[in-house]
Amino acid sequence: SDVSPLDLFLRHAKEPVIVKGALHGQPLMRADNVVEYVAQVCRDSYIDTVVYSKEVSSWAGHTDEKLMRIKDYYASYVKNSSNEELRYATSATFGMPFMCPALQHDMLVPGLASKPLPTGGAFRNYAQPTIFMGPAWSRSELHIDMMLMPFWLGVYAGTKRFRVIAFEDNLEHFGVDRGGFGSG
């Protein structure tokens, strides 16, 4: 039976839920090489890039932040396997709808995850969906979703390892308030 976004949130708000097969039939999945397709469609759009370093004490170990055109990022860091720098890219500054409107009909968020809960529509994040991409073994940032909202993450190519941190542990170890922002 179909589960509504509210039902899903009420039943599973404190645990991760994996929806297998949710990307089958998605327009973006028709591309032979999803990342190359995004680089072609969004070629002149800009994307934030960072390099992870365990030596850096800044948030999530990020260093050397650069804004790059997607075509240049793809050519230098994804397609060029001889480049040893594991530069990671995210559309977090602009959000995919603003960064690359041509892609918005290829990268759909299922109805199950498309409702702004639990605020009843009072808060919408127009930076969503967000694109994350990187060469193998690159690392994304540690983050908490704003307003502690449920989120949708589709892995269109490659793999992604997740580490889920309970809200209570966020409060204790990271000083994150209920809005998803640092409290100190």
Side-chain angles (χ1 to χ4, degrees):
S1 70
D2 289 334
V3 177
S4 75
L6 182 59
D7 290 338
L8 183 70
F9 178 75
L10 293 174
R11 288 185 206 168
H12 302 286
K14 294 188 177 212
E15 62 189 10
V17 175
I18 297 171
V19 182
K20 291 185 177 183
L23 297 179
H24 295 303
Q26 288 257 348
L28 190 57
M29 296 303 288
R30 291 186 215 133
D32 290 332
N33 181 328
V34 172
V35 181
E36 182 178 36
Y37 176 79
V38 169
Q40 288 171 354
V41 171
C42 306
R43 59 184 291 106
D44 290 322
S45 298
Y46 286 92
I47 196 158
D48 297 295
T49 70
V50 295
V51 175
Y52 169 81
S53 170
K54 61 183 174 186
E55 310 301 321
V56 176
S57 62
S58 64
W59 176 247
H62 285 176
T63 185
D64 196 23
E65 295 181 27
K66 276 196 241 182
L67 193 61
M68 298 180 70
R69 287 191 191 272
I70 290 180
K71 67 181 177 187
D72 299 332
Y73 170 76
Y74 175 76
S76 297
Y77 298 99
V78 178
K79 189 174 183 182
N80 182 359
S81 60
S82 66
N83 190 335
E84 293 182 16
E85 183 177 67
L86 298 178
R87 182 163 292 280
Y88 186 78
T90 175
S91 64
T93 295
F94 303 108
M96 189 274 297
F98 295 116
M99 179 198 80
C100 184
L103 194 59
Q104 68 184 335
H105 299 292
D106 289 332
M107 194 175 174
L108 307 174
V109 177
L112 184 63
S114 65
K115 302 295 183 213
L117 293 172
T119 64
F123 174 81
R124 289 191 183 267
N125 186 349
Y126 292 104
Q128 298 294 329
T130 301
I131 295 173
F132 299 96
M133 68 174 97
W137 304 106
S138 58
R139 295 183 177 200
S140 62
E141 74 276 6
L142 173 68
H143 73 278
I144 185 167
D145 290 320
M146 290 180 62
M147 309 294 288
L148 299 175
M149 302 283 284
F151 69 95
W152 166 257
L153 194 137
V155 178
Y156 290 90
T159 59
K160 175 78 174 152
R161 183 187 311 185
F162 293 91
R163 193 172 291 162
V164 178
I165 303 169
F167 173 72
E168 293 78 14
D169 291 334
N170 279 315
L171 289 172
E172 181 179 344
H173 300 291
F174 299 112
V176 174
D177 66 22
R178 291 201 178 274
F181 298 99
S183 58

